[in-house]
Amino acid sequence: MRFARESSAGSAVLREWFTVVTDAFAADAAGLLASCDGRRTFRPAPGATSARALLDFEIFGRFVGLALLHKVCIGLRLHPLWCRLVVEGNAPWAWTHDDVAALDADLHRHKVRFLLETDLDAGAAAELELDFTDALDDRGPDAADDD
């Protein structure tokens, strides 16, 4: 691999290419990866569900595999729960409240813990307008796919 008009020797060009591609995957504009801890760790963005995003995740997986093959450290730390999915072959496990807190502390603090600590009867749930639907999946049959 070479950059045009680059006279570098050794693995510097290869490492630079991995850095540039890593930054592109982690960019907010790409909409592929998200971080809930100040960009210390990354996980798939919740809204990245289109056919294009799934293809981008496949490309990202191949990119990470290529980095492992070439023993190049990329500057992108994957969230431990995401690594668990990859290492265990996407095998399901029973999520705990600690897992949710580790994945998104704000979600756990403001939503999950509130629901766990608040006694909600049917009237209180209606008053708070809690319907427990997923906004990403409740777009309806007429919603356009953002491919």
Side-chain angles (χ1 to χ4, degrees):
M1 176 175 318
R2 271 182 229 206
F3 287 133
R5 298 176 299 282
E6 180 73 35
S7 61
S8 176
S11 63
V13 174
L14 181 67
R15 287 189 318 244
E16 174 69 16
W17 180 81
F18 274 102
T19 300
V20 169
V21 175
T22 300
D23 291 346
F25 276 118
D28 291 336
L32 193 65
L33 301 174
S35 177
C36 293
D37 56 6
R39 299 182 68 83
R40 288 190 303 270
T41 63
F42 289 85
R43 62 180 174 88
T49 58
S50 67
R52 173 59 194 239
L54 295 178
L55 179 61
D56 288 346
F57 279 123
E58 182 179 342
I59 293 168
F60 178 70
R62 290 174 185 235
F63 171 74
V64 171
L66 187 64
L68 290 170
L69 181 69
H70 285 281
K71 299 178 183 174
V72 174
C73 184
I74 61 173
L76 186 73
R77 182 173 289 190
L78 302 179
H79 193 279
L81 292 174
W82 194 20
C83 292
R84 180 177 177 179
L85 281 172
V86 172
V87 170
E88 294 183 4
N90 206 23
W93 74 86
W95 283 67
T96 66
H97 296 296
D98 292 336
D99 290 338
V100 175
L103 188 61
D104 191 338
D106 288 336
L107 172 73
H108 187 266
R109 181 175 30 260
H110 298 295
K111 306 286 182 174
V112 175
R113 198 169 72 198
F114 171 79
L115 291 172
L116 291 172
E117 295 172 354
T118 305
D119 184 26
L120 294 176
D121 59 9
E127 183 179 316
L128 292 173
E129 298 180 12
L130 298 176
D131 62 3
F132 301 102
T133 57
D134 188 346
L136 294 177
D137 292 333
D138 284 348
R139 294 180 289 177
D142 298 330
D145 192 14
D146 297 333
D147 288 350

